[in-house]
């Protein structure tokens, strides 16, 4: 039998307000795709939490609206990427305590961002971590009104 979750024309909303955790994480399944979700992580912790972790090769995030708040001493990032050939498409990260898109690079790998927006985050819109020679493609995307800078590499 069919199961319907969410509201017509507005996707599915996950609003985590209690658990000290990552809302979505794909740690081992290659080609995992997280699509068409509104994900809000709001907690109070001393830990740094990512709302979405893309840790599997060839993973993708498509059509996400992401926000992360942390009223504790820890931080909150929007979408964290730590795998090869990851694609983020048509996604918005806004109002996180820290970084919108957090990219941990691996030498020789590629990362892709198409039609993405990072707005009003606590430090950077897009932040690249690691001194590795890799390819990061950001096409038709916007980073604006982020507190420290829109791009950090």
């Amino acid at each position: 039998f069919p199961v319907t979750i969410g509201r017509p024309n507005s996707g599915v909303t996950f609003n985590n307000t209690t658990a000290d955790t990552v809302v979505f994480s794909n740690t081992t399944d290659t080609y995992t795709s997280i699509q068409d979700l509104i994900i809000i992580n709001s907690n109070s912790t001393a830990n740094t939490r990512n709302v979405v972790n893309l840790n599997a090769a060839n993973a993708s995030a498509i059509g996400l609206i992401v926000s992360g708040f942390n009223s504790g001493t820890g931080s909150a990032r929007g979408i964290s990427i730590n795998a090869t050939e990851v694609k983020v498409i048509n996604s918005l990260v806004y109002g996180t305590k820290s970084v919108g898109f957090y990219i941990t690079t691996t030498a020789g790998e590629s990362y892709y961002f198409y039609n993405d927006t990072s707005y009003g985050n606590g430090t950077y819109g897009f932040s690249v971590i690691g001194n590795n020679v890799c390819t990061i493609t950001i096409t038709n995307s916007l980073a604006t009104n982020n507190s420290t800078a829109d791009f950090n590499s």
Side-chain angles (χ1 to χ4, degrees):
F1 61 92
V3 176
T4 303
I5 300 174
R7 298 178 303 271
N9 302 314
S10 63
V12 177
T13 300
F14 291 89
N15 188 357
N16 175 41
T17 59
T18 57
D20 178 13
T21 187
V22 173
V23 179
F24 280 94
S25 183
N26 65 329
T27 56
T28 60
D29 296 329
T30 59
Y31 295 97
T32 299
S33 186
I34 301 170
Q35 298 186 20
D36 302 322
L37 299 174
I38 300 168
I39 309 166
I40 301 168
N41 196 16
S42 176
N43 56 35
S44 178
T45 179
N47 299 315
T48 296
R49 292 293 178 223
N50 305 313
V51 179
V52 175
N53 281 340
L54 297 176
N55 296 330
N58 299 290
S60 62
I62 302 170
L64 301 185
I65 299 173
V66 174
S67 189
F69 307 99
N70 185 344
S71 59
T73 58
S75 193
R77 299 180 192 127
I79 298 176
S80 177
I81 294 127
N82 189 16
T84 178
E85 301 297 324
V86 171
K87 295 173 182 67
V88 181
I89 303 167
N90 297 331
S91 293
L92 164 68
V93 178
Y94 72 96
T96 68
K97 187 173 182 180
S98 181
V99 178
F101 296 97
Y102 186 82
I103 306 121
T104 303
T105 61
T106 301
E109 303 300 345
S110 299
Y111 310 86
Y112 305 92
F113 298 86
Y114 302 107
N115 304 320
D116 296 307
T117 300
S118 184
Y119 174 80
N121 296 291
T123 57
Y124 303 104
F126 289 80
S127 185
V128 179
I129 305 303
N131 293 323
N132 299 302
V133 176
C134 63
T135 302
I136 299 174
T137 303
I138 301 175
T139 304
N140 198 34
S141 296
L142 172 68
T144 188
N145 202 35
N146 297 289
S147 294
T148 304
D150 294 326
F151 294 92
N152 175 49
S153 60

